[in-house]
Amino acid sequence: MPMQNSLALDPSLGLGPDPKEQMTEPQAVKLRELTQRADEPFDGSLTRRQAERRIAHLQEYLN
């Protein structure tokens, strides 16, 4: 039987924010700015993770 690291037993270790948590205000500001620059609609209902991905996509697209 392989040894188990006690850190690996913590299910919350290394997890990001709750996937259902609303995006933060700084994310909303950044996303609004990027969507305006890309001439795309702003979606204020995104979760933190969705906003993070959308921001990364738009930054790549605009650069």
Side-chain angles (χ1 to χ4, degrees), residues 17-35 42-56 58-59:
D18 182 344
K20 295 177 184 165
E21 190 175 334
Q22 284 299 111
M23 77 173 106
T24 64
E25 185 60 32
Q27 282 180 311
V29 169
K30 183 70 173 176
L31 188 56
R32 189 173 283 118
E33 173 193 320
L34 292 170
T35 55
F42 171 75
D43 183 356
S45 68
L46 297 179
T47 65
R48 287 181 70 177
R49 287 186 184 174
Q50 289 170 328
E52 188 176 302
R53 290 181 185 126
R54 184 75 175 128
I55 288 167
L58 287 169
Q59 286 176 326

Side-chain angles (χ1 to χ4, degrees), residues 7-18:
L7 292 177
L9 298 177
D10 183 354
S12 66
L13 187 66
L15 293 179
D18 182 344

